[in-house]
Amino acid sequence: MTDASTSLHRRAWDLIPWIINGSAPQSECQAVEAHLHDCPDCGAELEFQRRVQMAIARKGTPDLDPHASWQRLSARLDAGADAELPSRLDHRHPSRFGRAWMPWVMAAMLVQAIALGALGAALWWRTAPGDSNAIARTGAYRTLSAAASPAPQATIRAVFAPTMTLGELQALLAGARLRVVTAPSDGDVWSLGPADDSTRAATDTAVQALRAHAAVRFAEPIGASP
Amino acid sequence: MSHDDVHDRELLRRVAARDRRALEQLYLEYQRRLLQFLSRLTSQRETLEEAINDTFWTVWQKADEFRGASRVSTWVIGIAWRCTLKTLRRNNDAAAARLASCVAADPPRMAAPVDEERLDWLEQGLATLPLEQRATLELAYFAGHSCEEIAAIMDCPVNTVKARMFQARVKLRNLLPKLGGIEDASHCRGSQS
């Protein structure tokens, strides 16, 4: 084979997919047309690639209701508005949602801290040492020295859709008999623990309940084998 | 500029102006098309919906950045390709896909197969290709995109597309030597320059 014919063979061979899908320039097609007709290798490759195209074309496409999918995206856009998704927050560019709500959140935290402080002071005063009537006033069922109810150990990790409301989350956790152990700080993973029953069977049941909810994107028992 | 692209550009202009109805129309017109392409890369329905919704979430955010350098369809499919790669990595779906590929890596070899069987073997062969090579073939043969458009979609140089196409063809030939009636790959001397 001469250099010229080798070069033409290469051009023709490289061009075959683009001839088949109709995107090769007309001038290129004309330049290699005779070679494709005469060269058995290129002729076989042309035929083979047509079969590849047929194999690709005949593969079915799954049905996915476009209107239902759009509704889910629409809800996501409503929830996020123009902000970025919580899982993709770029801390250099706080979202509009974050900027708008931050002062209110901080104000609420301040009010909560003041209220808790006042409550603690009142309770301390009512049970102060030397106050012999304290127990009688507060009732035998309540003492400051009693250990606070310990937070449950986290048994499940979960990620919720940003569209989930606080009410929905509370209802879901109550139904699954779960409590929040830690809420996400900089990510979107929640740690949950049992409200009462901490057996593995109860954890598995709770995981199933979480997974059955449309707004739960991920729910796995902690320490489960992969 | 094709009639379709004029129509798409008008929709995208409205999307950039925060017209949610235009986004819905674009979504409904493109969903099936994206599904056809992306379902070749993963069979997980949840992954498919997640990738398509991520795509249009990005379109909603970035519509005003479209400068018209390509067709709208090329731009949207490019976003879909990148969203799908991210979703696959996030869901660790690619590992599962590769595993499935290994299982199918040794297709049965029989004499004189009928045409349907040959196509079945080709489907199995396609499943063994690396994601980028398979996507290149799908974009060319299923969607009919040119080499330059695939480069724009996959955000890579045109020569990379040519190399991927070449490697995919050689790999398919080597995996399925009898399908084209050729016993070896010596015809592949039209190598990448």
Side-chain angles (χ1 to χ4, degrees):
Chain A
M1 203 178 263
T2 64
D3 284 351
S5 64
T6 302
S7 168
L8 184 61
H9 176 78
R10 280 188 179 179
R11 278 173 62 196
W13 202 87
D14 285 345
L15 210 55
I16 284 172
W18 317 111
I19 291 172
I20 288 176
N21 82 351
S23 70
Q26 191 62 31
S27 56
E28 291 276 309
C29 293
Q30 284 168 349
V32 300
E33 193 176 357
H35 176 84
L36 287 174
H37 188 264
D38 296 337
C39 172
D41 284 350
C42 284
E45 176 64 10
L46 191 66
E47 186 55 34
F48 182 73
Q49 290 304 317
R50 285 199 174 115
R51 285 184 192 157
V52 174
Q53 187 187 34
M54 282 171 66
I56 286 173
R58 76 174 190 152
K59 194 167 184 286
T61 301
D63 262 341
L64 209 57
D65 180 1
H67 296 281
S69 297
W70 162 255
Q71 287 305 323
R72 281 187 277 275
L73 174 63
S74 190
R76 192 167 131 189
L77 290 170
D78 286 340
D82 293 338
E84 292 191 72
L85 287 178
S87 58
R88 297 169 193 174
L89 277 178
D90 181 343
H91 296 292
R92 290 168 302 175
H93 304 288
S95 68
R96 199 176 294 178
F97 179 88
R99 279 198 300 270
W101 284 89
M102 192 55 74
W104 292 103
V105 171
M106 294 188 69
M109 286 171 68
L110 185 63
V111 169
Q112 192 177 31
I114 292 169
L116 284 170
L119 180 65
L123 286 170
W124 180 86
W125 175 80
R126 291 175 72 178
T127 58
D131 184 354
S132 56
N133 295 323
I135 292 175
R137 280 205 309 269
T138 56
Y141 56 89
R142 180 75 176 252
T143 68
L144 278 178
S145 57
S149 173
Q153 189 180 355
T155 53
I156 295 171
R157 286 203 181 90
V159 176
F160 303 109
T163 52
M164 193 175 211
T165 63
L166 184 59
E168 286 175 327
L169 178 62
Q170 285 171 332
L172 176 62
L173 295 184
R177 307 201 62 73
L178 291 169
R179 288 172 56 186
V180 173
V181 178
T182 56
S185 52
D186 56 354
D188 49 9
V189 181
W190 294 67
S191 297
L192 309 173
D196 40 35
D197 187 354
S198 60
T199 60
R200 182 56 194 257
T203 301
D204 290 344
T205 305
V207 167
Q208 293 309 319
L210 291 177
R211 286 175 181 167
H213 196 284
V216 176
R217 290 191 162 164
F218 170 88
E220 277 296 331
I222 293 173
S225 2
Chain B
M1 197 184 298
S2 71
H3 172 74
D4 284 350
D5 199 43
V6 172
H7 168 78
D8 288 353
R9 280 172 192 246
E10 172 56 20
L11 278 180
L12 198 60
R13 187 193 61 72
R14 287 169 52 201
V15 171
R18 317 312 284 165
D19 181 342
R20 188 76 82 83
R21 282 185 178 279
L23 183 73
E24 180 178 4
Q25 191 178 340
L26 201 63
Y27 184 97
L28 296 177
E29 288 178 9
Y30 267 85
Q31 193 251 17
R32 182 82 187 157
R33 193 164 164 184
L34 293 182
L35 200 56
Q36 284 172 333
F37 168 49
L38 302 180
S39 64
R40 266 93 178 150
L41 309 178
T42 175
S43 58
Q44 298 291 320
R45 298 168 69 88
E46 286 158 10
T47 303
L48 287 168
E49 181 177 297
E50 194 179 340
I52 292 173
N53 283 5
D54 281 354
T55 300
F56 280 90
W57 193 87
T58 306
V59 167
W60 180 246
Q61 303 297 327
K62 308 275 184 188
D64 60 344
E65 293 177 19
F66 177 74
R67 294 287 171 262
S70 66
R71 285 192 292 172
V72 172
S73 60
T74 305
W75 186 70
V76 171
I77 295 170
I79 294 171
W81 163 250
R82 289 186 288 280
C83 285
T84 305
L85 284 185
K86 279 184 196 164
T87 308
L88 287 173
R89 284 181 192 131
R90 194 161 58 230
N91 298 353
N92 207 18
D93 213 358
R98 276 196 298 275
L99 189 64
S101 299
C102 293
V103 173
D106 190 14
R109 297 175 188 203
M110 297 177 207
V114 297
D115 233 17
E116 280 298 305
E117 283 174 314
R118 288 187 186 193
L119 295 179
D120 286 346
W121 291 357
L122 273 173
E123 270 186 24
Q124 288 182 48
L126 286 165
T128 69
L129 297 177
L131 197 62
E132 285 79 5
Q133 292 176 21
R134 197 169 3 136
T136 303
L137 275 174
E138 297 282 356
L139 287 167
Y141 286 157
F142 187 77
H145 288 288
S146 69
C147 193
E148 291 72 19
E149 286 170 338
I150 296 173
I153 288 168
M154 299 180 88
D155 197 20
C156 66
V158 167
N159 276 342
T160 303
V161 176
K162 289 180 178 174
R164 285 173 180 164
M165 177 60 88
F166 176 82
Q167 288 155 1
R169 290 166 65 188
V170 170
K171 200 167 282 185
L172 276 180
R173 276 288 195 174
N174 289 339
L175 275 171
L176 312 165
K178 290 181 180 173
L179 288 180
I182 291 170
E183 297 302 324
D184 58 49
S186 60
H187 64 290
C188 298
R189 61 181 177 270
S191 60
Q192 195 65 34
S193 48

